Amino acid sequence: MLFRSGLMASIALCFYGQPRFINNPEIANSYHKQFFSNPNYQIDCYGHLWYSNDAVYESTSWVKEMPKYGASTGTLETLYSNYNFKRLIVEEPKQFRFSNNAMRKEYLDICENTPIPLTEVRENNTLSHLYSKSQSLRMVPDDYDFYVSCRYDTVITDVPDLNQIAND
C-alpha cells in the first residue's frame, strides 16, 4: 500500500488536555509500544497543554479516590522527552462558560438524559476539553494519512493495524 509519504503510514498524534500522570511511565511506554516502535509508521506529535507552574488540577468528579494534584517539576521537559513534539502550544488554565443562553440550552438538551447535572464545573470541563482538542488538531498540516486524538493521561492498550485499515 502506498501512503502519502511512501510505504510508511504517516501519523499525527494530537495530544490535548492537562498534564495528569505524565510521570507514570506506563502511559508513555504504551504510546511507544503502539506507535513509535512500529517500523511501518512515521510518527509526528502535536499538542495543546493546559499548564502553569502553580496550577492545581482537579480530577473528574466521578473519580472519587483521585485527589487534586499540582504541576510536576519538569513537566514540559518530560513531555518533550516522551513525545518529541513538532509543535506544542502551552496555555495557562482558564475558565470557560457558554457565551449565550441558547448555546447553554442546546447543550442541556443534548445532555438531557445523562445522570450528571450541568454545573459550572462540568460546563467549564466540557468547553475546556473541546477547546484543547481543537487547538491540537488545528495546528497539524493536512498531509498525514492518519490523525489520532490523544490524552496525556491515557494508557493505550491496543491500536488497530492502520495498514490494514488503509487497505480496506
Side-chain angles (χ1 to χ4, degrees), residues 24-62:
N24 176 350
E26 190 177 349
I27 296 169
N29 290 343
S30 74
Y31 282 97
H32 284 269
K33 179 181 177 187
Q34 299 298 331
F35 291 105
F36 295 105
S37 66
N38 189 322
N40 297 314
Y41 296 163
Q42 156 48 62
I43 305 292
D44 290 325
C45 294
Y46 298 85
H48 177 270
L49 178 67
W50 295 119
Y51 178 76
S52 170
N53 284 329
D54 58 352
V56 174
Y57 304 99
E58 294 186 26
S59 298
T60 306
S61 59
W62 52 265

Side-chain angles (χ1 to χ4, degrees), residues 91-109:
E91 290 187 70
E92 289 202 9
K94 48 180 134 176
Q95 294 295 310
F96 288 87
R97 295 296 309 253
F98 287 109
S99 60
N100 61 52
N101 286 334
M103 290 175 67
R104 194 167 206 280
K105 182 181 178 336
E106 185 175 335
Y107 182 78
L108 286 169
D109 289 345

Side-chain angles (χ1 to χ4, degrees), residues 95-130:
Q95 294 295 310
F96 288 87
R97 295 296 309 253
F98 287 109
S99 60
N100 61 52
N101 286 334
M103 290 175 67
R104 194 167 206 280
K105 182 181 178 336
E106 185 175 335
Y107 182 78
L108 286 169
D109 289 345
I110 292 169
C111 299
E112 182 177 12
N113 295 320
T114 63
I116 304 169
L118 181 64
T119 62
E120 285 186 22
V121 171
R122 184 171 179 209
E123 183 176 342
N124 175 67
N125 290 350
T126 299
L127 296 173
S128 172
H129 172 100
L130 293 172

Side-chain angles (χ1 to χ4, degrees), residues 11 13 15 22 24-45 77-85 148 150-152 154-159:
I11 302 168
L13 298 183
F15 288 87
I22 62 159
N24 176 350
E26 190 177 349
I27 296 169
N29 290 343
S30 74
Y31 282 97
H32 284 269
K33 179 181 177 187
Q34 299 298 331
F35 291 105
F36 295 105
S37 66
N38 189 322
N40 297 314
Y41 296 163
Q42 156 48 62
I43 305 292
D44 290 325
C45 294
E77 294 82 4
T78 299
L79 287 174
Y80 272 105
S81 173
N82 288 341
Y83 305 110
N84 193 26
F85 287 97
V148 181
C150 307
R151 288 175 50 126
Y152 297 105
T154 303
V155 172
I156 305 298
T157 58
D158 193 28
V159 173

